[in-house]
Amino acid sequence: MDRYMKRIILILLVLMTSAALADTLALKQDRPQTYVVKKGDTLWDISTFYLQDPWRWPELWDANPQVTNPHLIYPGDTLTLVFINGQPRLVKKAHKKLSPHGRIIAKNTAIPMIDLGVIQPYILQNRIETLDWLEGKAKVLGGERESRFHTLNDVIYVDKTLDVGQKLALYQPGRDLEAHGEHLGKELVLTGSGRVIESGRVSKVQILNNQRETKAGFFALPVDEEAMMSAYYMPAPGAVDSITRVIAIANKQREAGQLSVVYLDNGSKAGIRSGQVFDIFRDGDEIVIDANEQPVQTEDRNAYNNLMAAISDDNAITVPDTFRGKLMVFKVFDDVSFGLILLNDRPVRVGDKIVTPRSGAIARQ
């Protein structure tokens, strides 16, 4: 075998080894050997003790006959870290019966992947619809009670002929979401629900429950049964067909942190799916080199600096993008999606972008 062929084989072996290592779960050095599940834990919480990339938690239970369904892990269970075929796995230690009284745990107490209570309001309440879709949809005209605002048990008027007994969701029009010079949709915020009690050109609807007061101009839409279903997410690395950015923070704050909900300017049309995990980055700052060969940051630039940057790329240097955190998409529309910030290294703002997650991208948690 000549030297050239040996070199080729060596390179192939290195590449194969690198690929194998890249596919191996990266464990934290200070991980515990065992962990006792506590009330309020989520699979994400437990994974943060073991993995540098907690969103890869399904792999900890993969090919594990003791835990066929990680959603059926309960408070009090003891989890032990073992290695199967060189891969880390969490196994559930069998419980010892200490008395004739067995451990009785309701099946609905199995721990979830994430705290669904955080995103439940957005699963059930918020939706994004296009202006074309909303055109001609039923609206609230007012109510029997002489008030601008209507609450529980009030009868309101809706400007459509509706079937008696039909259940409706009442929505307050929210923000118009725009990106790239295009209108992506209107935010709708659930205020309550009602049932049609009298049909006609103007139908009567009784409010059955309310999150907040309802008034004229709100939409009365058929209940979105799909949105009412229980949500389970199997995380997977996400990839998008085009640059996707944060266009709004759900609670209207200037910055978002861990467990905050943000809106993204792409949805199912761009290949985004519920359960996909992304890294969040902020574009690197463009540093201008002034006439004195000194770097000038964006916030310190004047008109002359901007002109110099526009004239030639030699006058400006773009520094690397900065990592902000990780996000999981949990609700997707055609052109907009909702994401939950799973963890953040720095505050997330409107304009930050999401990219395919990089292994071990965050070291500080």
Side-chain angles (χ1 to χ4, degrees):
M1 185 181 297
D2 60 26
R3 182 180 301 175
Y4 178 76
M5 185 57 68
K6 288 181 179 179
R7 183 174 298 176
I8 293 296
I9 292 175
L10 179 60
I11 291 174
L12 289 174
L13 288 173
V14 170
L15 290 175
M16 291 171 63
T17 302
S18 299
L21 289 174
D23 197 38
T24 300
L25 287 176
L27 295 174
K28 287 187 171 180
Q29 304 224 347
D30 57 350
R31 63 187 180 274
Q33 184 61 34
T34 60
Y35 180 80
V36 178
V37 181
K38 300 177 180 61
K39 184 178 180 180
D41 275 345
T42 67
L43 296 175
W44 175 271
D45 295 331
I46 296 172
S47 297
T48 59
F49 293 117
Y50 291 93
L51 300 178
Q52 291 186 26
D53 296 303
W55 61 268
R56 295 180 65 181
W57 65 261
E59 298 175 55
L60 279 176
W61 281 273
D62 185 41
N64 181 358
Q66 295 193 34
V67 187
T68 55
N69 185 349
H71 288 288
L72 299 183
I73 296 173
Y74 300 92
D77 286 343
T78 298
L79 303 175
T80 303
L81 183 68
V82 300
F83 286 82
I84 300 175
N85 296 325
Q87 291 289 338
R89 297 288 182 260
L90 278 178
V91 298
K92 185 164 61 174
K93 186 178 180 181
H95 288 272
K96 295 181 180 180
K97 192 173 182 180
L98 300 178
S99 72
H101 303 287
R103 186 180 62 137
I104 300 175
I105 298 179
K107 289 301 179 184
N108 61 2
T109 59
I111 66 173
M113 181 265 169
I114 58 173
D115 183 359
L116 295 179
V118 175
I119 60 175
Q120 186 180 33
Y122 300 95
I123 296 174
L124 300 182
Q125 297 177 17
N126 290 31
R127 57 195 287 183
I128 307 295
E129 302 293 351
T130 64
L131 296 180
D132 288 343
W133 188 89
L134 287 171
E135 187 175 355
K137 292 295 188 291
K139 286 186 177 180
V140 176
L141 296 174
E144 288 185 344
R145 188 165 59 88
E146 294 181 356
S147 173
R148 294 177 57 195
F149 303 99
H150 305 284
T151 57
L152 186 66
N153 295 324
D154 281 356
V155 174
I156 58 176
Y157 302 127
V158 176
D159 65 350
K160 293 288 181 185
T161 302
L162 303 170
D163 296 331
V164 173
Q166 182 180 1
K167 192 173 180 181
L168 300 173
L170 307 172
Y171 289 97
Q172 177 182 0
R175 290 169 287 183
D176 289 299
L177 302 179
E178 299 180 350
H180 323 296
E182 298 181 5
H183 188 276
L184 301 181
K186 176 172 281 293
E187 177 188 38
L188 300 178
V189 181
L190 187 73
T191 62
S193 64
R195 182 173 56 240
V196 180
I197 59 174
E198 186 176 314
S199 180
R201 185 173 180 275
V202 174
S203 296
K204 291 185 178 181
V205 176
Q206 184 175 25
I207 298 177
L208 300 178
N209 63 71
N210 62 288
Q211 312 290 333
R212 61 187 75 183
E213 295 171 318
T214 296
K215 67 177 185 177
F218 284 16
F219 289 98
L221 306 175
V223 171
D224 184 356
E225 296 293 346
E226 182 180 352
M228 298 299 178
M229 294 172 61
S230 297
Y232 291 95
Y233 302 95
M234 186 61 70
V240 288
D241 299 333
S242 57
I243 294 177
T244 299
R245 297 185 182 275
V246 175
I247 55 170
I249 297 173
N251 62 10
K252 301 182 181 180
Q253 297 294 317
R254 182 172 178 269
E255 298 179 331
Q258 187 173 12
L259 300 184
S260 293
V261 173
V262 297
Y263 297 163
L264 307 177
D265 66 355
N266 267 321
S268 59
K269 290 181 181 178
I272 295 180
R273 300 289 181 268
S274 294
Q276 288 183 330
V277 177
F278 296 91
D279 282 350
I280 310 170
F281 278 84
R282 183 167 301 165
D283 289 331
D285 194 13
E286 186 182 54
I287 308 297
V288 173
I289 307 302
D290 66 14
N292 297 319
E293 302 278 329
Q294 294 299 313
V296 181
Q297 296 185 344
T298 300
E299 60 268 23
D300 299 324
R301 283 162 55 167
N302 55 31
Y304 173 77
N305 298 141
N306 291 332
L307 176 62
M308 293 298 293
I311 292 175
S312 173
D313 292 338
D314 294 336
N315 299 321
I317 301 173
T318 300
V319 300
D321 297 344
T322 55
F323 177 77
R324 316 309 280 185
K326 286 186 183 291
L327 167 151
M328 187 189 76
V329 173
F330 66 88
K331 192 170 184 179
V332 180
F333 303 89
D334 287 346
D335 298 304
V336 177
S337 48
F338 294 173
L340 175 70
I341 298 176
L342 297 172
L343 53 88
N344 68 299
D345 198 31
R346 298 178 179 86
V348 174
R349 296 179 182 174
V350 171
D352 289 352
K353 62 186 177 185
I354 64 170
V355 300
T356 299
R358 304 175 185 176
S359 179
I362 184 168
R364 299 183 294 279
Q365 295 185 27

PDB file of all heavy atoms in Angstrom, residues 55-59 113 233-239 273-278 327-329 356-357:
ATOM      1  N   TRP A  55     -32.579  19.738  24.656  1.00  0.00           N
ATOM      2  CA  TRP A  55     -33.658  19.423  23.728  1.00  0.00           C
ATOM      3  C   TRP A  55     -33.499  18.033  23.117  1.00  0.00           C
ATOM      4  O   TRP A  55     -34.436  17.478  22.542  1.00  0.00           O
ATOM      5  CB  TRP A  55     -33.754  20.477  22.627  1.00  0.00           C
ATOM      6  CG  TRP A  55     -32.537  20.605  21.772  1.00  0.00           C
ATOM      7  CD1 TRP A  55     -31.490  21.454  21.981  1.00  0.00           C
ATOM      8  CD2 TRP A  55     -32.240  19.893  20.581  1.00  0.00           C
ATOM      9  NE1 TRP A  55     -30.552  21.305  20.997  1.00  0.00           N
ATOM     10  CE2 TRP A  55     -30.988  20.346  20.114  1.00  0.00           C
ATOM     11  CE3 TRP A  55     -32.899  18.905  19.852  1.00  0.00           C
ATOM     12  CZ2 TRP A  55     -30.392  19.855  18.967  1.00  0.00           C
ATOM     13  CZ3 TRP A  55     -32.307  18.409  18.702  1.00  0.00           C
ATOM     14  CH2 TRP A  55     -31.058  18.891  18.269  1.00  0.00           C
ATOM     15  N   ARG A  56     -32.316  17.421  23.281  1.00  0.00           N
ATOM     16  CA  ARG A  56     -32.107  16.063  22.762  1.00  0.00           C
ATOM     17  C   ARG A  56     -32.501  14.996  23.789  1.00  0.00           C
ATOM     18  O   ARG A  56     -32.059  13.862  23.726  1.00  0.00           O
ATOM     19  CB  ARG A  56     -30.639  15.890  22.349  1.00  0.00           C
ATOM     20  CG  ARG A  56     -30.221  16.784  21.187  1.00  0.00           C
ATOM     21  CD  ARG A  56     -28.770  16.584  20.795  1.00  0.00           C
ATOM     22  NE  ARG A  56     -28.521  15.249  20.276  1.00  0.00           N
ATOM     23  CZ  ARG A  56     -27.315  14.818  19.888  1.00  0.00           C
ATOM     24  NH1 ARG A  56     -26.275  15.633  19.996  1.00  0.00           N
ATOM     25  NH2 ARG A  56     -27.161  13.604  19.425  1.00  0.00           N
ATOM     26  N   TRP A  57     -33.370  15.372  24.756  1.00  0.00           N
ATOM     27  CA  TRP A  57     -33.738  14.442  25.808  1.00  0.00           C
ATOM     28  C   TRP A  57     -34.309  13.124  25.306  1.00  0.00           C
ATOM     29  O   TRP A  57     -34.126  12.100  25.973  1.00  0.00           O
ATOM     30  CB  TRP A  57     -34.719  15.101  26.795  1.00  0.00           C
ATOM     31  CG  TRP A  57     -36.059  15.460  26.226  1.00  0.00           C
ATOM     32  CD1 TRP A  57     -36.456  16.674  25.794  1.00  0.00           C
ATOM     33  CD2 TRP A  57     -37.180  14.596  26.036  1.00  0.00           C
ATOM     34  NE1 TRP A  57     -37.741  16.636  25.335  1.00  0.00           N
ATOM     35  CE2 TRP A  57     -38.211  15.365  25.479  1.00  0.00           C
ATOM     36  CE3 TRP A  57     -37.413  13.241  26.276  1.00  0.00           C
ATOM     37  CZ2 TRP A  57     -39.450  14.837  25.152  1.00  0.00           C
ATOM     38  CZ3 TRP A  57     -38.654  12.709  25.956  1.00  0.00           C
ATOM     39  CH2 TRP A  57     -39.657  13.495  25.410  1.00  0.00           C
ATOM     40  N   PRO A  58     -35.035  13.048  24.150  1.00  0.00           N
ATOM     41  CA  PRO A  58     -35.571  11.738  23.744  1.00  0.00           C
ATOM     42  C   PRO A  58     -34.491  10.679  23.575  1.00  0.00           C
ATOM     43  O   PRO A  58     -34.744   9.486  23.777  1.00  0.00           O
ATOM     44  CB  PRO A  58     -36.259  12.041  22.404  1.00  0.00           C
ATOM     45  CG  PRO A  58     -36.619  13.481  22.487  1.00  0.00           C
ATOM     46  CD  PRO A  58     -35.460  14.109  23.224  1.00  0.00           C
ATOM     47  N   GLU A  59     -33.258  11.112  23.218  1.00  0.00           N
ATOM     48  CA  GLU A  59     -32.191  10.143  23.007  1.00  0.00           C
ATOM     49  C   GLU A  59     -31.730   9.494  24.304  1.00  0.00           C
ATOM     50  O   GLU A  59     -31.145   8.414  24.299  1.00  0.00           O
ATOM     51  CB  GLU A  59     -31.014  10.825  22.295  1.00  0.00           C
ATOM     52  CG  GLU A  59     -31.380  11.361  20.917  1.00  0.00           C
ATOM     53  CD  GLU A  59     -30.255  12.145  20.280  1.00  0.00           C
ATOM     54  OE1 GLU A  59     -29.141  11.611  20.158  1.00  0.00           O
ATOM     55  OE2 GLU A  59     -30.491  13.310  19.907  1.00  0.00           O
ATOM     56  N   MET A 113     -42.982  17.041  28.830  1.00  0.00           N
ATOM     57  CA  MET A 113     -41.695  17.430  28.258  1.00  0.00           C
ATOM     58  C   MET A 113     -41.316  18.834  28.730  1.00  0.00           C
ATOM     59  O   MET A 113     -40.197  19.097  29.129  1.00  0.00           O
ATOM     60  CB  MET A 113     -41.786  17.382  26.722  1.00  0.00           C
ATOM     61  CG  MET A 113     -40.495  17.745  26.011  1.00  0.00           C
ATOM     62  SD  MET A 113     -40.477  19.481  25.569  1.00  0.00           S
ATOM     63  CE  MET A 113     -38.775  19.675  25.086  1.00  0.00           C
ATOM     64  N   TYR A 233     -45.033  17.450  22.540  1.00  0.00           N
ATOM     65  CA  TYR A 233     -44.039  17.828  21.556  1.00  0.00           C
ATOM     66  C   TYR A 233     -42.838  16.896  21.649  1.00  0.00           C
ATOM     67  O   TYR A 233     -42.304  16.645  22.719  1.00  0.00           O
ATOM     68  CB  TYR A 233     -43.584  19.279  21.788  1.00  0.00           C
ATOM     69  CG  TYR A 233     -44.728  20.261  21.724  1.00  0.00           C
ATOM     70  CD1 TYR A 233     -45.367  20.673  22.888  1.00  0.00           C
ATOM     71  CD2 TYR A 233     -45.186  20.749  20.509  1.00  0.00           C
ATOM     72  CE1 TYR A 233     -46.443  21.552  22.841  1.00  0.00           C
ATOM     73  CE2 TYR A 233     -46.255  21.635  20.460  1.00  0.00           C
ATOM     74  CZ  TYR A 233     -46.870  22.029  21.619  1.00  0.00           C
ATOM     75  OH  TYR A 233     -47.925  22.895  21.570  1.00  0.00           O
ATOM     76  N   MET A 234     -42.436  16.361  20.502  1.00  0.00           N
ATOM     77  CA  MET A 234     -41.222  15.566  20.427  1.00  0.00           C
ATOM     78  C   MET A 234     -40.155  16.433  19.776  1.00  0.00           C
ATOM     79  O   MET A 234     -40.194  16.675  18.577  1.00  0.00           O
ATOM     80  CB  MET A 234     -41.460  14.301  19.595  1.00  0.00           C
ATOM     81  CG  MET A 234     -40.269  13.351  19.609  1.00  0.00           C
ATOM     82  SD  MET A 234     -39.866  12.751  21.271  1.00  0.00           S
ATOM     83  CE  MET A 234     -41.265  11.693  21.600  1.00  0.00           C
ATOM     84  N   PRO A 235     -39.218  16.981  20.546  1.00  0.00           N
ATOM     85  CA  PRO A 235     -38.253  17.936  20.005  1.00  0.00           C
ATOM     86  C   PRO A 235     -37.349  17.329  18.952  1.00  0.00           C
ATOM     87  O   PRO A 235     -36.954  16.172  19.037  1.00  0.00           O
ATOM     88  CB  PRO A 235     -37.463  18.376  21.239  1.00  0.00           C
ATOM     89  CG  PRO A 235     -37.619  17.269  22.212  1.00  0.00           C
ATOM     90  CD  PRO A 235     -38.982  16.700  21.971  1.00  0.00           C
ATOM     91  N   ALA A 236     -37.027  18.130  17.960  1.00  0.00           N
ATOM     92  CA  ALA A 236     -36.124  17.725  16.886  1.00  0.00           C
ATOM     93  C   ALA A 236     -35.442  18.974  16.366  1.00  0.00           C
ATOM     94  O   ALA A 236     -36.004  20.077  16.452  1.00  0.00           O
ATOM     95  CB  ALA A 236     -36.894  17.038  15.760  1.00  0.00           C
ATOM     96  N   PRO A 237     -34.213  18.865  15.855  1.00  0.00           N
ATOM     97  CA  PRO A 237     -33.542  20.057  15.314  1.00  0.00           C
ATOM     98  C   PRO A 237     -34.317  20.626  14.142  1.00  0.00           C
ATOM     99  O   PRO A 237     -34.771  19.889  13.263  1.00  0.00           O
ATOM    100  CB  PRO A 237     -32.171  19.524  14.884  1.00  0.00           C
ATOM    101  CG  PRO A 237     -32.361  18.056  14.714  1.00  0.00           C
ATOM    102  CD  PRO A 237     -33.401  17.653  15.703  1.00  0.00           C
ATOM    103  N   GLY A 238     -34.505  21.934  14.151  1.00  0.00           N
ATOM    104  CA  GLY A 238     -35.268  22.577  13.093  1.00  0.00           C
ATOM    105  C   GLY A 238     -34.386  23.109  11.981  1.00  0.00           C
ATOM    106  O   GLY A 238     -33.197  23.365  12.165  1.00  0.00           O
ATOM    107  N   ALA A 239     -34.971  23.249  10.827  1.00  0.00           N
ATOM    108  CA  ALA A 239     -34.291  23.854   9.677  1.00  0.00           C
ATOM    109  C   ALA A 239     -35.338  24.640   8.907  1.00  0.00           C
ATOM    110  O   ALA A 239     -36.472  24.188   8.755  1.00  0.00           O
ATOM    111  CB  ALA A 239     -33.655  22.792   8.796  1.00  0.00           C
ATOM    112  N   ARG A 273     -42.223  23.390  11.859  1.00  0.00           N
ATOM    113  CA  ARG A 273     -43.186  22.461  12.439  1.00  0.00           C
ATOM    114  C   ARG A 273     -43.143  22.561  13.969  1.00  0.00           C
ATOM    115  O   ARG A 273     -42.109  22.912  14.546  1.00  0.00           O
ATOM    116  CB  ARG A 273     -42.878  21.019  12.023  1.00  0.00           C
ATOM    117  CG  ARG A 273     -42.898  20.765  10.522  1.00  0.00           C
ATOM    118  CD  ARG A 273     -44.308  20.804   9.963  1.00  0.00           C
ATOM    119  NE  ARG A 273     -44.322  20.531   8.522  1.00  0.00           N
ATOM    120  CZ  ARG A 273     -44.258  21.454   7.583  1.00  0.00           C
ATOM    121  NH1 ARG A 273     -44.155  22.740   7.939  1.00  0.00           N
ATOM    122  NH2 ARG A 273     -44.298  21.143   6.307  1.00  0.00           N
ATOM    123  N   SER A 274     -44.241  22.223  14.617  1.00  0.00           N
ATOM    124  CA  SER A 274     -44.278  22.200  16.079  1.00  0.00           C
ATOM    125  C   SER A 274     -43.276  21.186  16.605  1.00  0.00           C
ATOM    126  O   SER A 274     -43.151  20.082  16.067  1.00  0.00           O
ATOM    127  CB  SER A 274     -45.681  21.838  16.564  1.00  0.00           C
ATOM    128  OG  SER A 274     -46.601  22.843  16.230  1.00  0.00           O
ATOM    129  N   GLY A 275     -42.572  21.559  17.670  1.00  0.00           N
ATOM    130  CA  GLY A 275     -41.580  20.670  18.266  1.00  0.00           C
ATOM    131  C   GLY A 275     -40.166  20.923  17.782  1.00  0.00           C
ATOM    132  O   GLY A 275     -39.212  20.432  18.391  1.00  0.00           O
ATOM    133  N   GLN A 276     -40.001  21.695  16.720  1.00  0.00           N
ATOM    134  CA  GLN A 276     -38.655  21.970  16.223  1.00  0.00           C
ATOM    135  C   GLN A 276     -37.926  22.922  17.170  1.00  0.00           C
ATOM    136  O   GLN A 276     -38.512  23.877  17.685  1.00  0.00           O
ATOM    137  CB  GLN A 276     -38.710  22.571  14.819  1.00  0.00           C
ATOM    138  CG  GLN A 276     -39.102  21.561  13.750  1.00  0.00           C
ATOM    139  CD  GLN A 276     -39.070  22.159  12.360  1.00  0.00           C
ATOM    140  OE1 GLN A 276     -39.305  23.351  12.165  1.00  0.00           O
ATOM    141  NE2 GLN A 276     -38.787  21.336  11.373  1.00  0.00           N
ATOM    142  N   VAL A 277     -36.655  22.647  17.374  1.00  0.00           N
ATOM    143  CA  VAL A 277     -35.807  23.452  18.257  1.00  0.00           C
ATOM    144  C   VAL A 277     -34.790  24.222  17.413  1.00  0.00           C
ATOM    145  O   VAL A 277     -34.216  23.668  16.464  1.00  0.00           O
ATOM    146  CB  VAL A 277     -35.082  22.567  19.280  1.00  0.00           C
ATOM    147  CG1 VAL A 277     -34.149  23.391  20.159  1.00  0.00           C
ATOM    148  CG2 VAL A 277     -36.109  21.831  20.152  1.00  0.00           C
ATOM    149  N   PHE A 278     -34.573  25.476  17.757  1.00  0.00           N
ATOM    150  CA  PHE A 278     -33.636  26.325  17.028  1.00  0.00           C
ATOM    151  C   PHE A 278     -32.724  27.057  18.009  1.00  0.00           C
ATOM    152  O   PHE A 278     -33.074  27.273  19.172  1.00  0.00           O
ATOM    153  CB  PHE A 278     -34.375  27.380  16.197  1.00  0.00           C
ATOM    154  CG  PHE A 278     -35.242  26.823  15.109  1.00  0.00           C
ATOM    155  CD1 PHE A 278     -36.579  26.533  15.339  1.00  0.00           C
ATOM    156  CD2 PHE A 278     -34.725  26.589  13.847  1.00  0.00           C
ATOM    157  CE1 PHE A 278     -37.383  26.030  14.342  1.00  0.00           C
ATOM    158  CE2 PHE A 278     -35.522  26.077  12.835  1.00  0.00           C
ATOM    159  CZ  PHE A 278     -36.858  25.800  13.080  1.00  0.00           C
ATOM    160  N   LEU A 327     -34.814  27.951  21.375  1.00  0.00           N
ATOM    161  CA  LEU A 327     -36.252  28.156  21.252  1.00  0.00           C
ATOM    162  C   LEU A 327     -36.905  26.907  20.691  1.00  0.00           C
ATOM    163  O   LEU A 327     -36.327  26.217  19.843  1.00  0.00           O
ATOM    164  CB  LEU A 327     -36.495  29.368  20.345  1.00  0.00           C
ATOM    165  CG  LEU A 327     -37.866  29.673  19.771  1.00  0.00           C
ATOM    166  CD1 LEU A 327     -37.985  31.190  19.553  1.00  0.00           C
ATOM    167  CD2 LEU A 327     -38.116  28.961  18.441  1.00  0.00           C
ATOM    168  N   MET A 328     -38.109  26.586  21.171  1.00  0.00           N
ATOM    169  CA  MET A 328     -38.885  25.501  20.586  1.00  0.00           C
ATOM    170  C   MET A 328     -40.199  26.043  20.038  1.00  0.00           C
ATOM    171  O   MET A 328     -40.930  26.765  20.733  1.00  0.00           O
ATOM    172  CB  MET A 328     -39.195  24.403  21.608  1.00  0.00           C
ATOM    173  CG  MET A 328     -39.865  23.183  20.966  1.00  0.00           C
ATOM    174  SD  MET A 328     -40.471  21.965  22.156  1.00  0.00           S
ATOM    175  CE  MET A 328     -41.956  22.800  22.752  1.00  0.00           C
ATOM    176  N   VAL A 329     -40.496  25.713  18.793  1.00  0.00           N
ATOM    177  CA  VAL A 329     -41.748  26.125  18.169  1.00  0.00           C
ATOM    178  C   VAL A 329     -42.866  25.236  18.710  1.00  0.00           C
ATOM    179  O   VAL A 329     -42.721  24.010  18.779  1.00  0.00           O
ATOM    180  CB  VAL A 329     -41.659  26.000  16.640  1.00  0.00           C
ATOM    181  CG1 VAL A 329     -43.016  26.255  15.999  1.00  0.00           C
ATOM    182  CG2 VAL A 329     -40.614  26.973  16.087  1.00  0.00           C
ATOM    183  N   THR A 356     -30.520  26.482  12.631  1.00  0.00           N
ATOM    184  CA  THR A 356     -30.422  25.088  13.045  1.00  0.00           C
ATOM    185  C   THR A 356     -29.517  24.987  14.263  1.00  0.00           C
ATOM    186  O   THR A 356     -28.439  25.581  14.284  1.00  0.00           O
ATOM    187  CB  THR A 356     -29.854  24.227  11.904  1.00  0.00           C
ATOM    188  OG1 THR A 356     -30.747  24.317  10.787  1.00  0.00           O
ATOM    189  CG2 THR A 356     -29.724  22.768  12.328  1.00  0.00           C
ATOM    190  N   PRO A 357     -29.949  24.278  15.324  1.00  0.00           N
ATOM    191  CA  PRO A 357     -29.160  24.249  16.564  1.00  0.00           C
ATOM    192  C   PRO A 357     -27.797  23.621  16.377  1.00  0.00           C
ATOM    193  O   PRO A 357     -27.634  22.644  15.641  1.00  0.00           O
ATOM    194  CB  PRO A 357     -30.028  23.427  17.520  1.00  0.00           C
ATOM    195  CG  PRO A 357     -30.911  22.622  16.633  1.00  0.00           C
ATOM    196  CD  PRO A 357     -31.163  23.462  15.428  1.00  0.00           C
TER     197      PRO A 357
END
